[in-house]
Structure formats: structure tokens, C-alpha cells
């Protein structure tokens, strides 16, 4: 067991150690001793609903004590058959059978052995009677209006407490007020009656809650008669007035009653509640006031109840004794009564006699002092009898003490001290045991103890010895006592080792020695590692509404893990085991999670670890961050035409420093009511000088910003209005909108409302031909566009725009160069040559058109081409124009993705921003033969152990005259090595199958087939197959089509297919019909859809309809042979490999003529690079 916990450097006694006595242990029962009462009853009430009533008395002693009882000072016979006595105890039960009232009385228990007698305090057994009101006939009461009267209750006696209520027969309470009062005894007093007090059902109820009983007195009838002196012809108001005038009288005290005189004496016990009551009759109704003669009423403890008729003082002390006065007064006089209060007290102990163990020949003393009012008298008893009748030799007796000298074993006895006054008696017992014994060690031998490093260890050696013994602790197997400041032996024998280390582990011996002999035990000590905690994150700062997650990492000795318990607390209050019921706070062992964190969650969080030997806590400060409160008290000062100073007071930053303030304004020029940002200032500032625009009625507000977010905006400031002024700036972004030839539509960005600076904004537009000496032409407009006609096409002009308002003009504008409207180019380029690069690619060279025929800004050249016929079969093709644009000033370009062995027509034209010019004369060229595409399929249709038959289909594109096929094959068994490649030249182009022989049996082969023209062979198509092995499976596939089972299987499959098609057809017809247009929408032509959805580059302004087929479709159908060039290689961009003049080959498009597109670096057409 561990006794001390180490917190910092201070040592705190553990609970276990606090339970140790720092004196000798009490005498063990194995040693002869006088009896001691260890349990007894005090007051026992015989409630009628209890099954039995138990009066307890238990005692210990050696020899075992015997029990006897007295009742009301006389011997009580425990052999009475009506009671049940417990074995080995003085306790007995009284069954609740029949009449038990004769058992009522005061009992005392005596426990005796040959060494002495112990007595209990008096035990009162109360048998309460059933309270009843006597049966009586209550005469009706007749009184005149204005008289006083008392309705007596006289409740029956019963077990306290008693509660009295006055009610009517309907159990409605009789209302009490200044005029009507119920006394402490239960009587109902009327200071003066009124006609409304008449009723025949005044009932007094007495409640005894401990007996669960309420009894009722017979109803009383009260009749209040109007005064007979009043004239019957008078009004009721006059009658009442006359009655009042006749019955009016000064107060007369009814409580206290008249027989007590003008003063009375009352005794109250200290600590109880003093209740004084005072009630007077009279008319008008008297008012009662209270005072204490010679001093003030005790403040804080006194209350006036029942409309001032009761004075209540709680927790009475000796200072409250004295004279109290109640005074009742009305308009006609007053009456008073004095209460002389005496404060007394039952006996209580100041010094109680203490039991003690003595050795032969020693001396001792017993003290007994009690206090109370009156002063208690002290009486001594020995073994229950007055000490005067049984004095011991050598005892010296005084009223408050007894001293012993040269004690002997026969001096062993029980001494009782009894203190009494008129308010009660108290009893205290002290055992005097004279014993000489060898030390008895009560702690078990070989007890195991454990503590953690740095804590104190406690090794117990509780003993009993008489005479006094010495205790010596040693390390086991060492013959010298423990010495040093870390070792301390307590009076009860416990060894404390301070600030333990691992070296303190081991066995220790406790030797107890006195004049009668010695005894020894061994204790074993283990040292454990201290528990450690670490909370992460440390001191987190969490924005409001976020989730807080804390983790408590613990390290503890392996022997203590089973007892390790973790708990979480906030600001000292421990959380429930699993968090909160709403799930916002969740505790999962070492993890604490708080969702939707708020300011109330801020505080110090502790993770506590408790093991069997130690406990430790680790703390972390959780700070909840919130957006700032809005700034306040906005103030404008230093008001100028173009500036104003704005100051404010910072709001609460909610634990996150304000980083900046955003100043917003609302003006009457641009969207009134809309707030716009004006400027920002650092968070340390609380004022700013604001630059303002003229002719604006400003209002400002401020928003604070911290790391969590923005505050709400502050309340707006006062208004500040700036005077108008001439414009500070001119329009920007002066440009020409798309115009007709010989026309300029000039546009610019208009000034914003906040930039106009005043009323009457206009724009002065000036222009002249660039470089011409003539004067500027100008025109003033109110909008932001102007149309100007010019004598020439695409001529440069100097243009300037200036803002003006009613207060003046803006700054001198800077001219910009604009061009008049463009026209289409008027001439076509001349094609110089078309050089065939390979079967799918040609290079086109042309001459540039003269600058004067461009009629605008030349944007580039466009090549149109279309296939006219195939040279393979001579079949002509419909005209499907493909377009490719090359931006910039250039005279050559590459046309890719052509069909091999075909005839093409090609034209070139120039284009500008207006559109495309005329086409050149068509240039006719032919592409040479190329290699074919791969065959459409290759299948192994028959295989045997050493032969295989292959079948194939023609390539989709022959790209020339087919000369034959190249068939190759090799062994590819499942190894890393492959066999030699064998070749067969099939020189007959019309051949579509081939039979191979001399193959290896049970061998996997891979077959390759290429189609060939005079230009070479194309890409191969491949197929794999395995030859058959020897034996019965060799001819498995021979003539399979003639086998009966195969024919039957095929028939079954055909029949099933027909049935499924019939079902689908029927269901489709049931689904309803739809129009041809809907069919077309559901199933659009793939080529048409492609032309709609897929375009490349930039559309031209050509009015021609797009032709079917596009470059995208060409690319889609083009096979990746060695002559098929990637389109990326011929467009503009970083991937170009043809860089002839530093600009190269423009982009191209697959759109039809009207949808022709100029390609550039950001074209949406993306093509794969050739591998």
C-alpha cells in the first residue's frame, strides 16, 4: 500500500495514513479487558405500522460480557416471553402484538465480565397513543359585530411534531390576516368580528406526521349579529358607521393572556428557535410592533410572521437573553407586554474521560468536565455503581478528576462520568485496563507493499504492548537499524520511507521489544515506475464552432496498467464517463472531442490518471477564438473637401488579435445603399485619414478582421458630403468596334459615378488622320460611343476622348491610334508548287498578296483541298472541302492526313478580320502509293498436331495495288525464350487463306500477317493458337461441322435467338410509335453529329456551306503507318518539327468550309504524337 502522493515537492498524507493513530493501537480482544459498549439505541418510538421494535445494546470484552437491563431504574427481566433476545448480545425485540404500552419507559444496558461493567446511556422507549379529540357538544357562539372572540382548539396530545390547521367542512383554509390569527397552541383569535365571519363549520385539524394521523375537532358555529342600536330604516352604510362608532375601543392583549400580567418569563435552550407571539383585540384592528429593551433585535436572525404577531429568532445564543416588548396600538390607545427571555443549555462535554491501558505500578488520571446552563453536576461511577460505594485504594477523587497511583491488575474497571442539569444528562465511559503482556504485532507477517519512485512508502507494524515497547526497523538479514533522514518510525510502528528510489526495494524487519519480551515480522517492498501524462495539442487555440480534439497519452508501470483509470475535467469539474447526453462532448478513454465549440468551452482542461499507487494530472489551456466584436463609437473629424479623419473604438477581439480593419463607404452616386470597400488599415490602428471623391454624400462603417474571420459591420458614422469639382481623369480603353469599310465606331469605358466629380458629365471626342496637318475634328456626346465616317479603308487615325462636366474639363487627353473599318482582301495568292512529301503529306508554296489588296490587317492564309478520285479504282469522290489556316505573313504550309494513291484539288486564299478573299486557281496533285493498313482480321480456322490453316480479310485501306502478303510465325511457349521467326511470302493478292505444315505438336504458336504493295508491307495483325497432341484428341476438330452433336447445338442456339428476337419485337411495338424526327434525334448520323460537335481552331466568315467529312474524321480513320504523320507536327505550337521560316505551319481544322477554323496554340484539337 502506498501512503503518500508526491505533488511538486510537497508531501500529502494519503487517506490510508490518515486513518492510522499516532499512538499505540487499541487493545486487541485477545488480551483480557473490561467490556466496552460499541452500539446502542437512543430513542425508540413504537410506531403502530412497524412490525417490531428493536432496542440495541452490543459490547465487546475479554472475557465475553454478559448483559442485563434496567427499566426506569429497576431490574428488567429479559426472560419475559413477550420479547425476543438476540444471542451473544444485549439487543432485544418487542413484537408489535397486542398492548405494548407497558413496555414504555427508560432503559439502561449493563455489559459485565469479571473485570468490570460498562453501562449504556439511557434509552427511551415511547409508545405513543392514538390522538383523538374528545367527543363533545359545542354550543353555538353568538356575538355582536365588532366584538372579539377566541375559538379554542385544545388539540390532543401526541408524538411531536404537531401541525394545526383551521378549515371549513370543504377543507378550505380559514383566511388569516391582521384581524384573524391562530396561536401557537392552535386557538383561533378574532380581534373584532365582522358579519362575514359568520359560518357553522369552523373545524380545527391536528396533524401528527410521524404517526401519519390527522384528527378533526367537531365543527363550531359562529353567528355575528349586527348591532341592535342601529335604526332599521337606516342604510347599511349608516348602520356600519354607527356600529363602528359604538364598538371602537383601544387594544387589549389576548396573547399573552391577561392572567400573565404585563410581563412574563420564558426559558429557551441555546441553538433553538425563539417564538414570541402577541395578539390584541380592539377596533380598529391593532397593529403589533416588537422591540428589545436596551438593544436592537438581532439582525439577520429575526423575522416577523403572521402580520407581525409572531417574532421569530433562530439559533438563539446567550447574547439574545434579555427583555423583549410587544406593543399593540390603534387610534384609541395601546397595550404592551414584556417577555423576559432566559437562555439555558443542556450539558455538553468540555473534557471527556479517555480510556487507557496501563502497566503494573504506573500512574494515571481521568478528567471529566462538562458545560451547560445551569452548570451541570458531575457524578462518578465505577462499573455502574457510585464511586463512593466502591473506592479503590490510592484513588484521589475530585469533582472533575480522578488520579491513580501504583496501579495494579485488580484496579482494572470501567469508570463512568455523568453530567446533569435540569435539561438533561450525558454519560461518558472510560476503560482502565492494567495489563502486562509480551508485544503483540497485529500486522500480518510477510505483507507485500508497493509504491512508485519518488513517493513515500509506508510499511506497517501495528502492535499492542504493555508496558511501553520500542520499535526498530532493519533491512532484512542486516543487524543494524535503519538510519538517515529518509526513514521515520511513527508511534504506531509504521515505517515511512521518504522519496523512494529503486534501490529501496527489498525486505524489511520490524522488531517490537518491551520488558516482557520481543516480537518480529517481515515486510516486502516493491518500487514501481511513476505514471506520466502528456496532453496534445498543448494549449490549443480553436476557432468557434470548430471541433476540439484532445489526446491524453499515458505511460505507466506494467504492474499498474490493470488499475489505470483516466478521467477528464474542465476547470476542476469532472466530465461524465462518456461525455454529454447530446453527444456534443464525447470521451473515448484517452480522447476528448468537443463538437461545435463555443466560448463557454474555454478553460483549463485536465487529464487525470489514477492507479492503485499514484495519481497525476496534466493540464492544457483551451482558448476559443471568435470573430471580433464590431468596432464602436465612429467619429468624423478634420473634414476637408477631399478627405476626412475617421476614428473608432476596437471591440473585443475574442482571443485573436485584430489584423486589420476594413473601412467601407456608402455613397449617393453609385448604387445608393450598397457598401463598398474604401481602404484597409493595420489592426493596431483605430483611426485613418480617408481620401474622398468630390460630389459624394459619404457614410462610413468599419469591419474588424482577425485570424478567425470578419466581425459584423459597425454602426454607420455620420454623413460627410464633398463639394463638386472638374473630372480628375479621362475615359480609358478607347477602341474601335467592328465597323463597316470607311467607318469608325469609337467606344470607351465611361467614367464611374464616383469618378464624375460633378453634374453634367459629357465626353469631348477629337480625331484626325494620323500624320495629317489638318485641324482636329471633334464632337461632344453624353454616351460612350461615336460613329465617324472616313474617306479610306483601314486608315490610321489619332483619337482622343476628354471628360467634362459643369465645373470644367478633365486633364489633357493622350491620343490613341485607331483604324477605320476593313474590307475583304481583293486578290488571291498564286500557288507556286505542291511538293509531295510522302503518300499522306504535301508541302504547298504560294506567293503573298500585295499589301494594298489586303484592305485591312492580314491575319493569315487558308488552304482548301478536296479529294476528286482514287487512283486505285478510278472512282470519283463528291467534293468535301477540308480547311487549314496559317496565321501571319507566310508563303508555305504542310497539308497532312491525305489518302494515298489519290487525286486532289487545292486552293489558297488570304483572310483578314473582315473575312476571306478570293481563292486561287485550283492546283491538281496526286499522292503516291503507300503501304497498306493491317488486314481486317486473322483467324486460325483449323489446327492439328502438326498443321494449321489460317484465314484473313483484306485491309480497309489498300493505299495502292496489293502485291501479296507476308505470313510469319514462331513458337511462343510459356517461357522467356521465343522460337525462330519463319516467313511465308503469299504472292497471290487474291489469296485469303494459307495451310501451314511441319509444325510441332502440342506447341503454342504466334502468327503475324502483313499486306504489301510495291511500297512495302504494312503493320501486322497477329493471332495465337496451340497445335494438338498425340492420341485420341488429335482429330478432335476434324470435320467438326459434320458432327451430329454440333449440328443439334447450333439449331438450338438459332431457335433460342429467334424466340428472343420475336419477344423484343412485340415489346417494342407495344411501346408506341414515334416520329421520324424523334428517331433522328435519338440516332443521329455519326458524321453529321461529328461535324456539329467537333471543331478545331477559329471559324472563318466564309458563307460556303460546310462539306461532309472533316480533318477529325480523317484522323479517326487514318492508320498509324510509317507514312501517317501526326497532325500536331504541322500545327503551330511547341511540338512543330517543321520550322521553315521561324513561324511555321499553321494550325489546321477538320471543319467544313463555313466552319473553317484557324488553329493556334490554344486550339481545342488535340492529336497524339507519333511514337
Amino acid at each position: 500500500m502506498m501512503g503518500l502522493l508526491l505533488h511538486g515537492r510537497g508531501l500529502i498524507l494519503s487517506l490510508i495514513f490518515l486513518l492510522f493513530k499516532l499512538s499505540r493501537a487499541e487493545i486487541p480482544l485477545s488480551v483480557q479487558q473490561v467490556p466496552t459498549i460499541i452500539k446502542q439505541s437512543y430513542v425508540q418510538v413504537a410506531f403502530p405500522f412497524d412490525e417490531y421494535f428493536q432496542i440495541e445494546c452490543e459490547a465487546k470484552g475479554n472475557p465475553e460480557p454478559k448483559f442485563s437491563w434496567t427499566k426506569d431504574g429497576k431490574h428488567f427481566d429479559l426472560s419475559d416471553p413477550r420479547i425476543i433476545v438476540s444471542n451473544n448480545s444485549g439487543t432485544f425485540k418487542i413484537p408489535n402484538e397486542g398492548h405494548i404500552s407497558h413496555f414504555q419507559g427508560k432503559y439502561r444496558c449493563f455489559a459485565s465480565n469479571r473485570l468490570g461493567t460498562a453501562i449504556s446511556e439511557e434509552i427511551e422507549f415511547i409508545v405513543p397513543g392514538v390522538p383523538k379529540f374528545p367527543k363533545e357538544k359545542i354550543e353555538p357562539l353568538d356575538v355582536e359585530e365588532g366584538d372579539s372572540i377566541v375559538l379554542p382548539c385544545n388539540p390532543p396530545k401526541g408524538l411531536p411534531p404537531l401541525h394545526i390547521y383551521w378549515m371549513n367542512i370543504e377543507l378550505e383554509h380559514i383566511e388569516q390576516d391582521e384581524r384573524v390569527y391562530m396561536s401557537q397552541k392552535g386557538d383561533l383569535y378574532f380581534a373584532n368580528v365582522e358579519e362575514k365571519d359568520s359560518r357553522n363549520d369552523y373545524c380545527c385539524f391536528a396533524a401528527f406526521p410521524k404517526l401519519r394521523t390527522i384528527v378533526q375537532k367537531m365543527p363550531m358555529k359562529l353567528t355575528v349579529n349586527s348591532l341592535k342600536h342601529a335604526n332599521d330604516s337606516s342604510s347599511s352604510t349608516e348602520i356600519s358607521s354607527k356600529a363602528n362608532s359604538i364598538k371602537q375601543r383601544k387594544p387589549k392583549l389576548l396573547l399573552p393572556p391577561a392572567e400573565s400580567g404585563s410581563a412574563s418569563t420564558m426559558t429557551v435552550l441555546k441553538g433553538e428557535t425563539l417564538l414570541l407571539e402577541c395578539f390584541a383585540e380592539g377596533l380598529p384592528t391593532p397593529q403589533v410592533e416588537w422591540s428589545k429593551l436596551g438593544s436592537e433585535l438581532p439582525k439577520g436572525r429575526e423575522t416577523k410572521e403572521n402580520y407581525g404577531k409572531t417574532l421569530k429568532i433562530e439559533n438563539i445564543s446567550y447574547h439574545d437573553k434579555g427583555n423583549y416588548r410587544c406593543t399593540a396600538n390603534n387610534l384609541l390607545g395601546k397595550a404592551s407586554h414584556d417577555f423576559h427571555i432566559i437562555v439555558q443549555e443542556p450539558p455538553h462535554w468540555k473534557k471527556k474521560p479517555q480510556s487507557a491501558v496501563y502497566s503494573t505500578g504506573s500512574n494515571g488520571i481521568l478528567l471529566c468536565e462538562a458545560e451547560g446552563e445551569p452548570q451541570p453536576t458531575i457524578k462518578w461511577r465505577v462499573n455502574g455503581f457510585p464511586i463512593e460505594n466502591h473506592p479503590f485504594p490510592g484513588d484521589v477523587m475530585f469533582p472533575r478528576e480522578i488520579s491513580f497511583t501504583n496501579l495494579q491488575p485488580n484496579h482494572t474497571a470501567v469508570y463512568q462520568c455523568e453530567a446533569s442539569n435540569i435539561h438533561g444528562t450525558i454519560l461518558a465511559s472510560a476503560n482502565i485496563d492494567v495489563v502486562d503482556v509480551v508485544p503483540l504485532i497485529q500486522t500480518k507477517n510477510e505483507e507485500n507493499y508497493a509504491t512508485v519512485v519518488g513517493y513515500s512508502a509506508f510499511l506497517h507494524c501495528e502492535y499492542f504492548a504493555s508496558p511501553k515497547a520500542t520499535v526498530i526497523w532493519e533491512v532484512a538479514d542486516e543487524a543494524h537499524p535503519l538510519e538517515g533522514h529518509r526513514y521515520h518510525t511513527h508511534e504506531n510502528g509504521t515505517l515511512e520511507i521518504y522519496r523512494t528510489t529503486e534501490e529501496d526495494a527489498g525486505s524489511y524487519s520490524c522488531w517490537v521489544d518491551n520488558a516482557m519480551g520481543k516480537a518480529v515480522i517481515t515486510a516486502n517492498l516493491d518500487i514501481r515506475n511513476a505514471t506520466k501524462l502528456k496532453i496534445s495539442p498543448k494549449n490549443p487555440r480553436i476557432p468557434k464552432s470548430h471541433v476540439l480534439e484532445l489526446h491524453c497519452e499515458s505511460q505507466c508501470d506494467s504492474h499498474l496498467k490493470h488499475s489505470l483509470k483516466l478521467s477528464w475535467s474542465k476547470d476542476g469539474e469532472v466530465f461524465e464517463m462518456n461525455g454529454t447526453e447530446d453527444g456534443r462532448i464525447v470521451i473515448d478513454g484517452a480522447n476528448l472531442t468537443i463538437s461545435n465549440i463555443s466560448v463557454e468551452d474555454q478553460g483549463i482542461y485536465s487529464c487525470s490518471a489514477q492507479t492503485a499507487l499514484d495519481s497525476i494530472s496534466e493540464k492544457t489551456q483551451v482558448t476559443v477564438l471568435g470573430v471580433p466584436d464590431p468596432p464602436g463609437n465612429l467619429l468624423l473629424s478634420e473634414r476637408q473637401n477631399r478627405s476626412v479623419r475617421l476614428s473608432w473604438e476596437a471591440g473585443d477581439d475574442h482571443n485573436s488579435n485584430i489584423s486589420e480593419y476594413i473601412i467601407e463607404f456608402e455613397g449617393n452616386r453609385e448604387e445608393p445603399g450598397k457598401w463598398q470597400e474604401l481602404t484597409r488599415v493595420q489592426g493596431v490602428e483605430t483611426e485613418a485619414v480617408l481620401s474622398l471623391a468630390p460630389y459624394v454624400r459619404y457614410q462610413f462603417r468599419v469591419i474588424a478582421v482577425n485570424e478567425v474571420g470578419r466581425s459584423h459591420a459597425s454602426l454607420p458614422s455620420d454623413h460627410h458630403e464633398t463639394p463638386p469639382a472638374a473630372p480628375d481623369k479621362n475615359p480609358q480603353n478607347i477602341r474601335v468596334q467592328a465597323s463597316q469599310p470607311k467607318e469608325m465606331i469609337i467606344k470607351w469605358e465611361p467614367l464611374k459615378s464616383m469618378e464624375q466629380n460633378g453634374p453634367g458629365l459629357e465626353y469631348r471626342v477629337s480625331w484626325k488622320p494620323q500624320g495629317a496637318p489638318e485641324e482636329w475634328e471633334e464632337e461632344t456626346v453624353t454616351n460612350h460611343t461615336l460613329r465617324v465616317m472616313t474617306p479610306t479603308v483601314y486608315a490610321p487615325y489619332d483619337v482622343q476622348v476628354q471628360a467634362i462636366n459643369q465645373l470644367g474639363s478633365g486633364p489633357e487627353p493622350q491620343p490613341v491610334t485607331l483604324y477605320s473599318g476593313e474590307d475583304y482582301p481583293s486578290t488571291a495568292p498564286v500557288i507556286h508548287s505542291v511538293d509531295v512529301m510522302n503518300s499522306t503529306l504535301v508541302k504547298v508554296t504560294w506567293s503573298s498578296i500585295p499589301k494594298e489588296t489586303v484592305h485591312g490587317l492580314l491575319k493569315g492564309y487558308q488552304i482548301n483541298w478536296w479529294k476528286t478520285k482514287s487512283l486505285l479504282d478510278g472512282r470519283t469522290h463528291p467534293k468535301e472541302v477540308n480547311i487549314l489556316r496559317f496565321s501571319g505573313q507566310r508563303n508555305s504550309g504542310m497539308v497532312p492526313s491525305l489518302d494515298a494513291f489519290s487525286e486532289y484539288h487545292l486552293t489558297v486564299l488570304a483572310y483578314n478580320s473582315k473575312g476571306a478573299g478570293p481563292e486561287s486557281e485550283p492546283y491538281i496533285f496526286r499522292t503516291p502509293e503507300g503501304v497498306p493498313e493491317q488486314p481486317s482480321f486473322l483467324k486460325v480456322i483449323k489446327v492439328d498436331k502438326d498443321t494449321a490453316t489460317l484465314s484473313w480479310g483484306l485491309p480497309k485501306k489498300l493505299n495502292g495495288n496489293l502485291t501479296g502478303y507476308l505470313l510469319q510465325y514462331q513458337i511462343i511457349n510459356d517461357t522467356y525464350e521465343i522460337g525462330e521467326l519463319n516467313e511465308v511470302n503469299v504472292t497471290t493478292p487474291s489469296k485469303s487463306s494459307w495451310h501451314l505444315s511441319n509444325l510441332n505438336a502440342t506447341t503454342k504458336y504466334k502468327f503475324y500477317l502483313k499486306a504489301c504493295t510495291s511500297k512495302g508491307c504494312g503493320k501486322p495483325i497477329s493471332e495465337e493458337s496451340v497445335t494438338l497432341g498425340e492420341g485420341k484428341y488429335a482429330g478432335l476438330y476434324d470435320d467438326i461441322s459434320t458432327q451430329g452433336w454440333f449440328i443439334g447445338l447450333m439449331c438450338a442456339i438459332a431457335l433460342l435467338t429467334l424466340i428472343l428476337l420475336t419477344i423484343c419485337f412485340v415489346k417494342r411495338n407495344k411501346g408506341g410509335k414515334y416520329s421520324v424526327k424523334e428517331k433522328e434525334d435519338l440516332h443521329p448520323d455519326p458524321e453529321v453529329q461529328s461535324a456539329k460537335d467537333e471543331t478545331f481552331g477559329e471559324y472563318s466568315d466564309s458563307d460556303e456551306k460546310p462539306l461532309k467529312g472533316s480533318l477529325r474524321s480523317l484522323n479517326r480513320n487514318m492508320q498509324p503507318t510509317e507514312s501517317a504523320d501526326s497532325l500536331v507536327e504541322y500545327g503551330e505550337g511547341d511540338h512543330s518539327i517543321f520550322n521553315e521560316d521561324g513561324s511555321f505551319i499553321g494550325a489546321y481544322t477538320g471543319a467544313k468550309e463555313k466552319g473553317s477554323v484557324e488553329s493556334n496554340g490554344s486550339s481545342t484539337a488535340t492529336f497524339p504524337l507519333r511514337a
Side-chain angles (χ1 to χ4, degrees), residues 306 484 487 682 706 809 921:
N306 301 315
Y487 304 101
Q682 294 295 318
N706 64 9
S809 303
E921 287 297 324

Side-chain angles (χ1 to χ4, degrees), residues 779-917:
E779 187 172 337
T780 302
V781 295
T782 56
N783 56 11
H784 56 282
T785 183
L786 176 64
R787 183 171 179 266
V788 176
M789 301 305 297
T790 63
T792 55
V793 174
Y794 198 62
Y797 279 80
D798 288 333
V799 179
Q800 58 187 26
V801 182
Q802 185 178 30
I804 57 176
N805 63 17
Q806 293 180 4
L807 281 85
S809 303
E812 188 66 27
Q814 296 296 318
V816 297
T817 300
L818 302 178
Y819 286 84
S820 58
E822 298 182 63
D823 205 348
Y824 297 104
S826 58
T827 60
V830 176
I831 299 176
H832 291 322
S833 64
V834 175
D835 299 324
V836 177
M837 310 301 291
N838 57 39
S839 62
T840 62
L841 177 67
V842 297
K843 179 180 180 181
V844 182
T845 306
W846 63 85
S847 62
S848 301
I849 67 172
K851 184 178 180 180
E852 61 273 9
T853 64
V854 176
H855 302 309
L857 177 65
L858 179 67
K859 299 195 73 176
Y861 292 89
Q862 175 179 312
I863 297 178
N864 298 342
W865 75 93
W866 60 95
K867 183 177 179 179
T868 56
K869 67 179 179 180
S870 170
L871 298 179
L872 183 63
D873 55 12
R875 183 169 54 88
T876 60
H877 281 248
K879 187 177 181 179
E880 296 181 0
V881 178
N882 298 282
I883 296 172
L884 188 58
R885 281 190 165 183
F886 302 89
S887 61
Q889 182 63 262
R890 59 189 302 142
N891 56 11
S892 67
M894 305 290 275
V895 178
S897 303
L898 303 174
D899 289 342
F901 208 42
S902 301
E903 181 182 272
Y904 283 90
H905 285 196
L906 180 146
T907 62
V908 180
L909 54 84
Y911 67 94
N912 60 16
S913 298
K914 184 69 175 175

Side-chain angles (χ1 to χ4, degrees), residues 131 173 230 372 390 459 548 763 811 924 998 1056 1058 1067 1078 1113 1165:
H173 285 273
H390 298 80
L459 308 182
L548 169 66
Y763 301 99
I924 300 174
N998 298 323
L1056 181 60
L1058 181 60
K1067 287 191 174 182
E1078 290 171 334
S1113 65

